[in-house]
Amino acid sequence: MTDTPAAPENAAQIRRTTLYLTLAQVPSGKVVTYGQLAEMAGLGRAARWVGRALSQLPDDTKLPWHRVLGAGGRISLPVGSPSGDEQRARLRTEGISVLNNRVDIQRHGWRPVEHSG
DNA sequence: TCGGTGGCTTGCC
DNA sequence: CGGCAAGCCACCG
């Protein structure tokens, strides 16, 4: 179809798009981890890449980047950081309890499959 | 093509 | 709960 036999650039674009789409599916009041998000997007264990991609998001992004936490619901962003403080503020705004840089993932963790689990 | 690098993850002590 | 080490995977120059 296309004149391009191979487009690795496009593939990278798709990965980002898939990541964004997956992130956009995270409902308010729920949180996911980098690894979980990466796996959902079909990136496998590229959790680090996910965090990086989120850091590259523009300030005016509509994606709920603040709903992405580290393993166990821990906030990777340090206190005193603009983004870190912003993240905690948004999480609380959504009704998520943030205690000592940690969120109860057992309580606010997003489960896309639900049921049968 | 290759090496260095991460807003991570998991184990272990 | 904390620090350390290794693993993983995709990005960048």
Side-chain angles (χ1 to χ4, degrees):
Chain A
M1 297 296 193
T2 59
D3 50 306
T4 48
E9 298 178 350
N10 194 8
Q13 177 75 27
I14 292 174
R15 285 193 179 90
R16 278 190 301 244
T17 303
T18 304
L19 174 65
Y20 298 154
L21 290 174
T22 306
L23 178 57
Q25 290 170 50
V26 181
S28 179
K30 296 293 181 180
V31 295
V32 294
T33 64
Y34 293 101
Q36 184 181 351
L37 195 62
E39 192 170 356
M40 287 177 188
L43 293 169
R45 298 180 180 164
R48 293 166 79 162
W49 175 84
V50 172
R52 223 174 174 184
L54 297 180
S55 66
Q56 293 176 25
L57 287 172
D59 279 351
D60 62 344
T61 182
K62 308 294 282 192
L63 295 172
W65 59 270
H66 57 274
R67 294 183 193 144
V68 186
L69 310 174
R74 285 168 31 261
I75 299 180
S76 300
L77 282 72
V79 183
S81 185
S83 299
D85 187 53
E86 175 88 8
Q87 184 172 29
R88 287 165 209 189
R90 293 195 181 196
L91 290 175
R92 293 197 174 208
T93 302
E94 297 187 354
I96 300 176
S97 302
V98 181
L99 299 177
N100 200 11
N101 302 346
R102 274 166 57 169
V103 175
D104 190 346
I105 199 173
Q106 305 272 350
R107 177 179 163 106
H108 298 291
W110 179 42
R111 308 220 168 161
V113 279
E114 305 257 358
H115 313 305
S116 70

